[in-house]
Amino acid sequence: MKYANVIVDISLEKLDRTFQYRVPDELEASIREGMQVLVPFGNGRRVLTAYVVELTDECEWDPERVKDIIGIPERGIPLEGQLIALASWMRRMYGSTMNQALKTVLPVRKAVREKVKKSLVLAVSWEEAEKYLAFFEKKHQKARLRILEALLKEERLDYTAAVKDLGLTAQTTKALEELGLVRLETDTVFRNPVKPSEVQPHPVKLYPRQQETVDSILKRAAEGDRRPSLIHGVTGSGKTEIYMELIAAVLEEGKQAVVLIPEIALTFQTVLRFYKRFGDLVSIMHSRLSAGERYDQFERARKGEVRVMIGPRSALFTPFDKLGIIVIDEEHEGSYKSETVPRYHARETAIERARMSGAFVVLGSATPSVDSYEKARIGDYQLYELPLRVPGRTLPDTEIVDLREELRMGNRSIFSARLRELIEDRLAKKQQIMLFLNRRGYAGFVSCRACGHVIKCPHCDVSLSLHTGGRMICHYCGYQSAAPKKCPSCGSSYIGAFRAGTQQVTELAAREFPGARVLRMDFDTTKQKGGHERILEAFSRHEADILVGTQMIVKGHDFPGVTLVGILAADLSLYAGDYHASERTFQLLTQAAGRAGRGAEKGTAVIQTYSPDHYSVKAAAAQDYESFFRQEMEYRRLMQYPPAAHLLGLYLMSEKEDELERGAQVIKELALQALKEMEKSGDAKAEIQVIGPAEAGVSKLRDVYRRVLYLKGSSLPALLAWKERIEPELDHREELRILNIQFDMDPVNPF
Ligand code: ADP
Ligand code: ZN
Ligand code: ZN
């Protein structure tokens, strides 16, 4: 590596602007991406500190005019350097430009700061505030009195409004701030809902199993065992209490904590628990924050005002200088995989960041990802099992209903006789019901309602998707065939596309159960801001008896009134046409079933399906993770899907279908050629298979056509070496210029 690309300033505008310097021989051994270096700037008079963002053999300028790096400052790798090094790792691992990776990880400032909303918050307890109230009254300090009175009513005042309505001045603000009475906050969206007097730092006394887990994780961390911990514990087994105890220990050491939770679970209920325990040290990030608000959050973290950052994936890049722990709750969630370039996985990236900063990683889930559980099985992660719910909470009874049987009995409705009977029972008892349609927004698969047979790709063992004109397509390899008129397995003519919608179910439920109040929650009814919360709140106030919804309804909310959960057709996610379908189904069914019986009453879950013998369905009904895992791993090994091997997706997009088609073929040839060369030079001992090109699951989106190509291989280094080799080619070939090409290492969400 003879050359270094550096940036001299970390701001959004300047990330694009890198400068190239030569790495002198004496520095070659010690220089790394992310390091600060001293470089001559301008006409060589000025010496600036810059960050190395990339090391390369390629000289992009006239070699005569490229200057040498002067040296490395003594300071070691600064925080930004760590994040730059992380970006560099992400670029290599997931495929993107360095610039895209930098923009993902750096808390970049904008040259022009946007205006942020400020508010004035009460910073003392009520008793104390009231003492001041009396004091101001006595002293006739009217302005202060007015503000404090308003604050006692509202707890928080919008700054601009207070200036306008209460005559608040900068002077008064300053005076109150100096007294420690108020605080100015810019964090507008997720405010701290807990008054200082309500913070209860005194934790619950952990149950023995929880305490053992905490002790073991801390002991291993102290001994330098850097393997991530995976806590497998059913919902309500006390994982969150364990996280909080670990975080408390980390804070005690003067370090900081990042807690990742899926956006959808980032609810008031969860956040409140962290605020109650850690007070103002906690801050929240979520995707609705503007760039400016995000930057402010990061600044507060950098200054040490915030020491526990909670949020979805991007909270991972909080610029903490002494990061002690990264917790990833619900680690199996698909949302931890980014769907924009670089398509990083937050779990793997967290482990890399923790490695760089000496933090430890704790993963938790009731239904761990097959990836993580396999890593625990082979000893890469340390596994902790919490098989029981904390006392007072029981698991629901689960029943499987065979829909083929219903058809035989002449019942063609979406409600089986058993489910109908239970719904009527619950309605009579004034208890609540959730009906769940685990649909992925996808073209349907083709199945037989008489025998349950599903048409699959003969090469990839995933369901074929039905497209217009009766074509069935494999979204991995492109295999196509015509939809059959009769079931190839039993000859029945009850074969066809499997379709069901929430709206249809809602209407049907209202018709079949007159008098029942039915609410619907899906993408359509939650489009407006706050739609999500509104529906859930109405349901929790028992303003409806039945809630019909998609996966949205199964996550992160407790409804003690719900004693029946109906999963209308497990098949919908089971045959989604990608290799995660069974895993996702097991997770969804387990979670959905877990919604029943959160309160005092024991709940029942009913799983309707045409595939009652499928291992995902059976294992979910039996709440038997182990059994699911064993069978799923067998399938992954047999078909060489991750984690048994690695799969590298190439996603190709263009507005012109024919050029996309041609481009895909060119890339396939380039791919095969690169592999041949690698084999010749002895680089690619591990076999790599090229699959496709095929139409993507969503074959056209907003007028852009989409194709996919996959590389499958057991060696990650070999796949990465192939990617490094092909990336410049993809940039240089004229006929590929018009394509948008993205990599996806070990895809989680179907493209
Ligand atoms: P999980 O995160 O696994 O779903 P939680 O940590 O949320 O589980 O625990 C479930 C419920 O049990 C919560 O209401 C929590 O406050 C309570 N709980 C957990 N551990 C204890 C404990 N040691 N003592 C008392 N209550 C506990
Ligand atoms: Zn059949
Ligand atoms: Zn196929």
Side-chain angles (χ1 to χ4, degrees):
M1 296 298 175
K2 282 282 184 287
Y3 298 94
N5 295 328
V6 307
I7 46 174
V8 293
D9 184 11
I10 300 175
S11 67
L12 207 50
E13 287 76 16
K14 306 235 167 96
L15 287 183
D16 290 314
R17 186 73 184 96
T18 59
F19 301 90
Q20 196 166 55
Y21 290 87
R22 185 180 295 101
V23 180
D25 292 343
E26 67 272 19
L27 291 182
E28 220 183 312
S30 49
I31 205 153
R32 301 266 179 290
E33 281 163 355
M35 257 184 193
Q36 281 191 317
V37 289
L38 300 171
V39 294
F41 205 70
N43 48 21
R45 300 268 172 84
R46 275 203 299 161
V47 173
L48 287 185
T49 313
Y51 293 96
V52 177
V53 297
E54 202 164 12
L55 291 166
T56 172
D57 285 323
E58 213 175 320
C59 184
E60 290 162 14
W61 311 94
D62 175 6
E64 295 288 303
R65 296 180 52 199
V66 173
K67 295 179 193 135
D68 277 12
I69 288 176
I70 298 172
I72 299 172
E74 293 286 308
R75 274 178 266 162
I77 296 198
L79 178 60
E80 280 76 13
Q82 227 185 64
L83 291 169
I84 289 169
L86 189 63
S88 164
W89 176 86
M90 286 163 74
R91 182 195 66 74
R92 271 196 305 277
M93 181 71 186
Y94 300 107
S96 72
T97 64
M98 190 59 197
N99 199 32
Q100 286 166 322
L102 284 173
K103 284 185 173 157
T104 308
V105 306
L106 283 180
V108 285
R109 31 170 203 279
K110 282 194 162 170
V112 186
R113 294 290 306 278
E114 54 197 303
K115 239 179 143 172
V116 284
K117 213 172 116 193
K118 280 190 292 190
S119 28
L120 207 58
V121 204
L122 192 63
V124 296
S125 68
W126 283 56
E127 294 84 58
E128 211 163 330
E130 274 170 11
K131 272 188 224 144
Y132 274 103
L133 210 58
F135 179 74
F136 293 154
E137 202 160 10
K138 209 167 98 203
K139 294 266 171 184
H140 298 288
Q141 294 175 323
K142 292 220 177 91
R144 297 182 192 190
L145 186 63
R146 200 164 51 232
I147 300 300
L148 193 56
E149 270 173 349
L151 270 174
L152 276 170
K153 259 188 239 136
E154 311 265 330
E155 290 169 46
R156 168 179 295 260
L157 298 172
D158 179 72
Y159 193 81
T160 324
V163 168
K164 205 163 131 253
D165 305 337
L166 302 170
L168 178 68
T169 59
Q171 257 169 320
T172 310
T173 310
K174 190 151 172 268
L176 292 174
E177 266 189 313
E178 275 168 5
L179 287 170
L181 262 175
V182 302
R183 205 171 46 226
L184 258 182
E185 275 186 11
T186 50
D187 173 12
T188 53
V189 190
F190 245 115
R191 52 179 73 161
N192 181 347
V194 180
K195 291 188 216 93
S197 55
E198 278 177 6
V199 175
Q200 300 162 334
H202 303 296
V204 300
K205 182 164 173 15
L206 295 185
Y207 294 112
R209 194 63 174 246
Q210 290 172 312
Q211 191 63 52
E212 285 160 25
T213 306
V214 168
D215 292 344
S216 165
I217 292 174
L218 290 178
K219 178 159 174 283
R220 286 180 37 240
E223 289 168 357
D225 179 351
R226 288 274 155 247
R227 290 176 305 142
S229 306
L230 172 62
I231 304 178
H232 173 207
V234 295
T235 317
S237 59
K239 296 187 295 296
T240 308
E241 294 296 334
I242 294 178
Y243 306 151
M244 291 200 286
E245 196 65 23
L246 292 168
I247 292 166
V250 162
L251 295 179
E252 190 89 340
E253 282 181 45
K255 294 184 178 169
Q256 303 119 348
V258 165
V259 181
L260 302 188
I261 51 184
E263 179 94 34
I264 197 145
L266 195 55
T267 56
F268 193 69
Q269 293 174 9
T270 320
V271 167
L272 197 64
R273 289 174 68 183
F274 282 89
Y275 271 121
K276 279 219 164 126
R277 177 92 184 246
F278 302 112
D280 279 342
L281 294 180
V282 174
S283 193
I284 309 292
M285 283 190 51
H286 54 81
S287 60
R288 278 168 299 179
L289 293 184
S290 67
E293 285 169 328
R294 195 170 109 115
Y295 180 72
D296 286 343
Q297 291 285 48
F298 278 169
E299 272 303 286
R300 292 178 59 209
R302 191 202 306 275
K303 284 191 227 136
E305 291 169 21
V306 168
R307 293 176 56 208
V308 180
M309 185 63 88
I310 305 179
R313 321 185 276 275
S314 57
L316 191 52
F317 308 116
T318 308
F320 282 139
D321 59 348
K322 289 200 285 292
L323 185 60
I325 183 172
I326 303 176
V327 172
I328 306 185
D329 192 26
E330 314 269 5
E331 66 86 30
H332 62 277
E333 274 290 319
S335 62
Y336 286 129
K337 185 80 150 76
S338 171
E339 295 197 52
T340 53
V341 178
R343 293 172 179 266
Y344 66 97
H345 200 301
R347 190 197 315 128
E348 296 159 345
T349 310
I351 292 169
E352 182 63 18
R353 175 150 196 217
R355 195 188 61 73
M356 291 172 172
S357 55
F360 60 96
V361 174
V362 176
L363 313 170
S365 173
T367 49
S369 61
V370 170
D371 282 350
S372 293
Y373 207 75
E374 173 67 3
K375 288 223 168 68
R377 195 187 62 78
I378 61 177
D380 285 358
Y381 297 172
Q382 176 65 50
L383 182 66
Y384 296 94
E385 301 264 7
L386 297 178
L388 300 174
R389 282 192 173 180
V390 299
R393 291 174 153 231
T394 48
L395 289 169
D397 289 324
T398 307
E399 299 177 21
I400 300 176
V401 170
D402 185 346
L403 288 177
R404 298 171 305 182
E405 208 53 54
E406 295 291 315
L407 188 70
R408 239 166 270 156
M409 316 259 278
N411 176 15
R412 292 171 62 185
S413 146
I414 187 84
F415 301 112
S416 63
R418 178 61 180 152
L419 183 57
R420 184 192 310 260
E421 178 191 333
L422 287 169
I423 292 176
E424 276 161 0
D425 173 72
R426 298 309 195 262
L427 288 174
K429 290 184 184 148
K430 305 249 172 296
Q431 296 172 349
Q432 286 179 296
I433 299 148
M434 284 170 110
L435 296 177
F436 170 53
L437 211 55
N438 46 327
R439 196 166 60 107
R440 305 283 301 174
Y442 257 44
F445 55 94
V446 176
S447 70
C448 169
R449 292 180 66 185
C451 76
H453 183 78
V454 174
I455 315 270
K456 293 190 172 179
C457 173
H459 312 294
C460 307
D461 201 19
V462 298
S463 316
L464 297 176
S465 307
L466 188 65
H467 284 239
T468 45
R471 286 180 311 143
M472 298 186 302
I473 299 179
C474 171
H475 293 304
Y476 284 127
C477 73
Y479 172 87
Q480 295 201 10
S481 85
K485 300 267 183 293
K486 281 202 154 66
C487 173
S489 174
C490 76
S492 161
S493 52
Y494 277 117
I495 190 158
F498 199 111
R499 290 217 175 86
T502 39
Q503 189 173 353
Q504 188 193 346
V505 172
T506 309
E507 285 163 12
L508 215 68
R511 208 168 334 127
E512 303 229 351
F513 308 103
R517 296 161 301 167
V518 188
L519 255 181
R520 169 161 73 108
M521 179 156 143
D522 58 15
F523 184 71
D524 290 333
T525 58
T526 56
K527 256 187 285 190
Q528 306 122 302
K529 212 175 158 199
H532 200 156
E533 288 84 1
R534 234 189 357 261
I535 295 172
L536 292 173
E537 267 161 33
F539 190 60
S540 71
R541 284 195 303 266
H542 208 145
E543 285 169 19
D545 307 299
I546 303 179
L547 178 64
V548 177
T550 52
Q551 24 270 46
M552 276 180 201
I553 68 175
V554 303
K555 286 170 192 165
H557 299 272
D558 267 342
F559 299 105
V562 173
T563 56
L564 174 64
V565 168
I567 295 136
L568 298 173
D571 311 59
L572 283 169
S573 59
L574 205 45
Y575 302 113
D578 74 299
Y579 76 89
H580 276 101
S582 302
E583 176 174 355
R584 215 176 292 117
T585 302
F586 176 80
Q587 288 159 354
L588 287 173
L589 296 183
T590 310
Q591 271 177 355
R595 293 287 111 190
R598 286 299 179 94
E601 296 276 333
K602 189 168 173 71
T604 303
V606 174
I607 304 175
Q608 302 191 143
T609 177
Y610 292 95
S611 312
D613 296 323
H614 193 287
Y615 60 86
S616 281
V617 175
K618 282 170 109 173
Q623 305 271 347
D624 186 352
Y625 180 85
E626 275 289 331
S627 145
F628 157 74
F629 173 79
R630 249 181 291 112
Q631 298 178 73
E632 180 65 11
M633 266 317 286
E634 246 168 64
Y635 161 69
R636 304 278 176 102
R637 263 193 293 271
L638 189 71
M639 297 307 297
Q640 286 291 291
Y641 286 126
H646 292 278
L647 194 65
L648 175 59
L650 267 86
Y651 301 156
L652 317 173
M653 284 158 276
S654 170
E655 286 177 8
K656 302 212 172 94
E657 197 175 15
D658 47 345
E659 292 185 39
L660 180 62
E661 189 81 68
R662 254 198 312 281
Q665 287 305 332
V666 170
I667 293 174
K668 176 155 192 169
E669 276 150 36
L670 284 177
L672 290 170
Q673 196 184 326
L675 285 176
K676 223 179 268 161
E677 282 165 21
M678 282 170 67
E679 256 159 48
K680 241 186 261 158
S681 61
D683 275 0
K685 284 200 204 73
E687 278 172 24
I688 293 179
Q689 214 185 324
V690 182
I691 303 164
E695 272 180 34
V698 178
S699 56
K700 189 178 175 189
L701 187 67
R702 281 180 231 108
D703 289 323
V704 175
Y705 293 91
R706 293 141 62 100
R707 290 269 193 290
V708 293
L709 199 77
Y710 289 96
L711 266 78
K712 205 194 256 182
S714 55
S715 156
L716 180 64
L719 273 180
L720 291 177
W722 174 84
K723 182 175 72 61
E724 290 285 299
R725 187 181 277 257
I726 199 108
E727 270 181 312
E729 292 251 30
L730 298 180
D731 276 350
H732 294 151
R733 291 287 282 257
E734 197 57 44
E735 65 264 51
L736 300 180
R737 282 271 161 84
I738 64 143
L739 302 192
N740 176 354
I741 304 174
Q742 301 181 357
F743 289 96
D744 194 359
M745 180 59 86
D746 292 340
V748 172
N749 304 302
F751 181 66

